[in-house]
Amino acid sequence: MVLAVTVLVTAGAPASAAPPSPAPSPSFSGPAAAVGIRLLDAPVNRRDDSRAHKYIVDHVHPGTTIKRRIVVKNVSEVERKIAVYAAAAEVDRSGFVFAPDRTPNELSSWITVDQGEVELEPDDESVLTVTITVPEKASAGERYAVIWAEVSTVDGQNVRNIGRAGIRVYLSVGPGGEPPSGFEVTGLAGDRDGDGAPVVTAEVRNTGRRALDLAGQLRLTDGPGGLSVGPVRAEADTLALGATTTVRVQLDPRLPDGPWNARLDLASGWTRRTATGSVSFGGHPATAATRADHSGLVLTGGLVASTVVLLLFAGFAFRRRGRASPAVTA
């Protein structure tokens, strides 16, 4: 059973993740190549899993077939033909990585779309069905893919412009229940970057058996004068099994140094963790302050040297006086 949802997919491939499109000719003035896609269904048992409302996230046994409805929309100003297909993806130390073009992998070969191409008027949309058929002999493990909606145009200079948006697929396969998801948050700290902006950082390690998409909020309380800050959004790239990443939350440069009581809440789906601690941001980086410190050292050294010279001179004078006194008496 699935639960109908209407949340827009914001986790499609960012522009930098898709294969680069050729640059348009300076004379090109036609409508941009743009397309929209969103997930319409989520499993009922994942109604509290925020990831399942944006991506296809599931755990199934070998031999299982699942279906999900998606909505593809023409967001350009003219009629478009939109291709819909599955392609490969993987999760590595750098995050969720999209393969170029229509590169296949094992999971994408299990995925079919009931219509490989739709033709839509401006602002029109179409509901399509995605079917994932897992073979009976599929090995256990988590696999990744993307369901793409793609449009292309050609300008007067025969330069092809491609735009696409996608829905990620995280599919775990294996007997029994779903492998556990888990992570730990350590090293909550404050600092300032090179521009003097305060930054709160924390180290996050994936301790579970599924990839994670981390997002959450940072709150600062009990600051100077009783100030409070937040909630401020915190997020990180997809975290592979056993991988570690640094979550960075940059704040307003005018924020006082502190100390502050910090609370960082992170979640991946229904797996949640909280880290708390006291943070301070130190002083603003300044070359002048460093030079002043060095000057102080030089000044101190000069005073010490002067004192030593005076003491030596006084001792020398005293000895001369001691030697001269008997001669005067005689």
Side-chain angles (χ1 to χ4, degrees):
M1 182 180 295
V2 294
L3 171 69
V5 295
T6 56
V7 179
L8 284 173
V9 175
T10 58
S16 60
S21 302
S25 165
S27 62
F28 178 67
S29 59
V35 63
I37 188 171
R38 71 180 188 268
L39 183 63
L40 195 59
D41 297 326
V44 171
N45 64 350
R46 291 182 180 271
R47 68 170 69 243
D48 297 326
D49 184 348
S50 59
R51 296 174 76 211
H53 291 255
K54 297 186 295 183
Y55 317 133
I56 297 178
V57 182
D58 216 333
H59 170 75
V60 297
H61 295 172
T64 301
T65 297
I66 62 175
K67 295 181 182 292
R68 297 288 185 270
R69 292 179 301 160
I70 63 173
V71 177
V72 175
K73 184 174 182 177
N74 178 12
V75 297
S76 67
E77 301 171 357
V78 298
E79 180 178 317
R80 294 287 193 209
K81 288 184 178 180
I82 302 174
V84 186
Y85 59 90
E90 64 176 349
V91 175
D92 61 19
R93 298 285 172 171
S94 63
F96 197 99
V97 181
F98 308 99
D101 300 323
R102 300 196 180 204
T103 304
N105 66 0
E106 186 179 29
L107 177 54
S108 70
S109 71
W110 302 345
I111 301 174
T112 57
V113 184
D114 61 347
Q115 297 182 66
E117 183 178 85
V118 292
E119 190 167 351
L120 300 176
E121 297 290 335
D123 292 324
D124 196 10
E125 60 184 31
S126 178
V127 178
L128 307 179
T129 299
V130 174
T131 301
I132 305 177
T133 304
V134 182
E136 290 280 356
K137 296 184 178 180
S139 60
E142 187 172 46
R143 296 165 172 83
Y144 314 100
V146 186
I147 299 169
W148 292 110
E150 179 183 290
V151 295
S152 63
T153 62
V154 179
D155 69 2
Q157 303 296 322
N158 293 323
V159 176
R160 189 178 179 214
N161 300 278
I162 299 175
R164 65 179 187 173
I167 298 173
R168 302 181 186 186
V169 182
Y170 299 74
L171 189 67
S172 170
V173 177
E178 180 174 350
S181 295
F183 62 95
E184 61 181 17
V185 185
T186 59
L188 191 65
D191 200 355
R192 288 189 183 269
D193 62 17
D195 297 324
V199 179
V200 173
T201 60
E203 298 299 311
V204 181
R205 185 169 70 91
N206 186 346
T207 60
R209 293 167 55 194
R210 298 207 65 176
L212 304 173
D213 290 292
L214 298 167
Q217 296 177 330
L218 171 71
R219 290 178 172 83
L220 300 180
T221 58
D222 299 327
L227 291 176
S228 296
V229 177
V232 180
R233 182 168 177 78
E235 58 186 345
D237 293 330
T238 302
L239 193 58
L241 278 65
T244 300
T245 190
T246 300
V247 175
R248 294 174 54 87
V249 184
Q250 186 166 319
L251 303 167
D252 193 309
R254 297 168 295 180
L255 209 63
D257 291 340
W260 302 81
N261 288 334
R263 176 188 174 99
L264 179 62
D265 296 300
L266 293 175
S268 177
W270 52 48
T271 304
R272 303 174 183 273
R273 298 289 185 271
T274 297
T276 59
S278 177
V279 300
S280 295
F281 302 115
H284 293 266
T287 304
T290 303
R291 289 177 179 172
D293 291 343
H294 291 171
S295 299
L297 291 174
V298 172
L299 179 61
T300 302
L303 289 173
V304 171
S306 300
T307 302
V308 171
V309 170
L310 288 173
L311 289 174
L312 290 174
F313 179 78
F316 176 76
F318 179 79
R319 292 179 63 187
R320 288 286 302 271
R321 183 178 178 182
R323 291 176 181 177
S325 295
V328 172
T329 304

